[in-house]
Amino acid sequence: MAALKKLGILLSGRGSNFEAIADSIKAGRLQAEIAIVISNRADAPGLESARRRGLNAQLIPSKGRVREEHDAEVVTALKQAQVDLVCLAGYMRLLSPDFIRAFPSRIVNIHPSLLPAFPGMDAQKQALAYGVKVTGCTVHFVDEHLDHGPIILQKTVPVLDSDDEHTLSARILQQEHTAYSEAIGLVLSGEVEVQDRVVRKRTHAEGK
Amino acid sequence: MAALKKLGILLSGRGSNFEAIADSIKAGRLQAEIAIVISNRADAPGLESARRRGLNAQLIPSKGRVREEHDAEVVTALKQAQVDLVCLAGYMRLLSPDFIRAFPSRIVNIHPSLLPAFPGMDAQKQALAYGVKVTGCTVHFVDEHLDHGPIILQKTVPVLDSDDEHTLSARILQQEHTAYSEAIGLVLSGEVEVQDRVVRKRTHAEGK
C-alpha cells in the first residue's frame, strides 16, 4: 500500500475549509495526511484549531516583511514537511512567482464563485449585486494571476430572492466543504492532467 | 379571462429558440401568442418555419442600411403588432438605444453561458477553452450593453471531458429551449420586478 500523500495547508483566518479537509481525512473520505498547517497571522483561529487537532501548526508572520522573503520561508517549511500538495484555505496573500514555481501544478485554491465570474474579494456580494440566479464554488490550480488557474471542479448553488450575503455565503460554504476534499482527492490520485489550462481525467489509451 | 399576451420574435437564422417558444405555446406550457416574427435576413430558415406555422412573418432586411433606420422600421412593425414582449432568438444585431427605449424592460434575450461569464460570440467555445466544469444559459432583459442586462433565469449544464463545441452546444440548447419559455412566462405574469439590475418575484406585502 502506497504511503499517504502529504498536504500542506496555508491559512490566514478561520480556516473552515482546512477543518473540512481534516474532517474528510478523519472520516476516511480523503486518503491523505496533513503534514503541516501554516498561518501568516498569529491571530488566525485556524492555527489554534490545527494545534488542538495535534497537527504540525506553524506561524510564519508576514506582516512588515517583503513578500519574496516570507514566501521563501513558507516554501522551505513546506519542503521540509515534504508536502505533495499545497492547499490554500483562506490564505489572504498572493503567492510570488517563485513560490508557484516551487510547486508546479501542486498548489490548489478554492474560490466562492463559478470562475471566471466574480474573482477577487467579496465574490458572494458581487454575485448578489450582479443579480445572477446561480453561483457556486471553484477549486482550481493556482497560477500567477488572481483566481485564474486551471479549474479542477465546480459546484453550483442557487441564488434565492431572499438571499443576503450571509445566507448565500453559508450555502456556498457547504458546497466548498465537500468540493475541496473531492478535488484534492482527484489531484492526489494522479488521474487528472492539465492541457492548455483544461483539467481532464487521463485517458489510459496509450499502449497498455 | 385576460387576452393572451403578444410576443414579437426577432431572428437572423435557424431560430431554434423561436421554434421552442412556438412549441411551448402549442403544448399549453406558455400562455401567450406570437403576434409577429421578424427576420433581418431573407435566408433565415426561421422565417420560413414561421410561415409554415401560419404566423405573421416579416422580412425587414438590414443589409446595407443604417442601424437606426432599420431599427425604427422593426419597432414600427412590433408596435403595429401590439407586442407586449420582444424576444430575441438568435438575432445577430445589436439594438440601438432608441429601440431599447421603445420597449422598456420588455426585450429579452437568451445567451448560451452563465453570464457574466463568456459574453459575446462563441460562448460555448470560450467556455471549453477556459476549462470550466459548469456552464449553461441565461435569459436576461436587454440593455444597451452586449449580453449584460438584468438576469431573469439561468440553467446550468455540466461540461464533460469528452465535450467538443458541438456536443456542449447541443446540451446547452436543450436547456435553452425550456429556459426561454419559462422566463417569458415569468415576465408575462407580471410577477417579477427589476431593482438595481436584480430581477425578483414581487412581494405582495403592500397594503392588501
Side-chain angles (χ1 to χ4, degrees), chain B residues 111 117-132:
Chain B
H111 182 81
F118 314 125
M121 295 293 291
D122 296 326
Q124 304 93 335
K125 202 171 169 182
Q126 291 182 56
L128 286 170
Y130 197 95
V132 292

Side-chain angles (χ1 to χ4, degrees), chain B residues 66-135:
Chain B
V66 174
R67 181 186 311 281
E68 284 68 22
E69 282 178 22
H70 178 258
D71 273 8
E73 201 175 327
V74 173
V75 166
T76 299
L78 292 166
K79 294 275 187 190
Q80 277 175 354
Q82 298 185 296
V83 308
D84 296 292
L85 187 66
V86 179
C87 306
L88 310 187
Y91 189 61
M92 304 306 278
R93 306 266 297 167
L94 264 180
L95 304 187
S96 59
D98 277 353
F99 192 142
I100 291 162
R101 275 192 290 269
F103 295 95
S105 285
R106 288 287 158 193
I107 310 173
V108 293
N109 187 32
I110 189 160
H111 182 81
S113 78
L114 294 176
L115 292 171
F118 314 125
M121 295 293 291
D122 296 326
Q124 304 93 335
K125 202 171 169 182
Q126 291 182 56
L128 286 170
Y130 197 95
V132 292
K133 300 303 178 193
V134 180
T135 183

Side-chain angles (χ1 to χ4, degrees), chain A residues 114-118 128-134 147-148 151-154 156 161 196-201, chain B residues 114-118 128-134 147-148 151-154 156 161 196-201:
Chain A
L114 295 175
L115 291 172
F118 315 124
L128 286 170
Y130 197 94
V132 292
K133 300 303 179 192
V134 180
D147 300 329
H148 175 268
I151 293 172
I152 302 158
L153 195 150
Q154 296 184 300
T156 61
D161 280 2
D196 299 331
R197 79 159 282 125
V198 177
V199 181
R200 281 194 187 85
K201 286 226 172 174
Chain B
L114 294 176
L115 292 171
F118 314 125
L128 286 170
Y130 197 95
V132 292
K133 300 303 178 193
V134 180
D147 301 327
H148 175 269
I151 293 171
I152 301 159
L153 194 149
Q154 297 185 298
T156 62
D161 280 3
D196 299 332
R197 78 158 284 124
V198 177
V199 181
R200 281 196 187 84
K201 287 226 172 173

Side-chain angles (χ1 to χ4, degrees), chain A residues 45-61:
Chain A
L47 195 59
E48 184 48 37
S49 158
R51 287 191 187 114
R52 270 199 313 271
R53 289 168 184 264
L55 296 170
N56 173 13
Q58 295 191 19
L59 169 67
I60 304 181

Side-chain angles (χ1 to χ4, degrees), chain A residues 9-10 36-40 56 58-83 86 91 93 95-96 98-99 102-103:
Chain A
I9 311 264
L10 305 190
I36 188 169
V37 177
I38 300 172
S39 170
N40 66 315
N56 173 13
Q58 295 191 19
L59 169 67
I60 304 181
S62 59
K63 204 173 178 184
R65 301 191 61 199
V66 174
R67 181 185 312 280
E68 284 68 23
E69 283 179 20
H70 177 257
D71 274 8
E73 201 175 328
V74 173
V75 167
T76 299
L78 291 167
K79 295 275 187 190
Q80 278 175 353
Q82 299 184 297
V83 308
V86 179
Y91 188 60
R93 307 266 297 168
L95 304 187
S96 60
D98 279 352
F99 193 141
F103 295 95

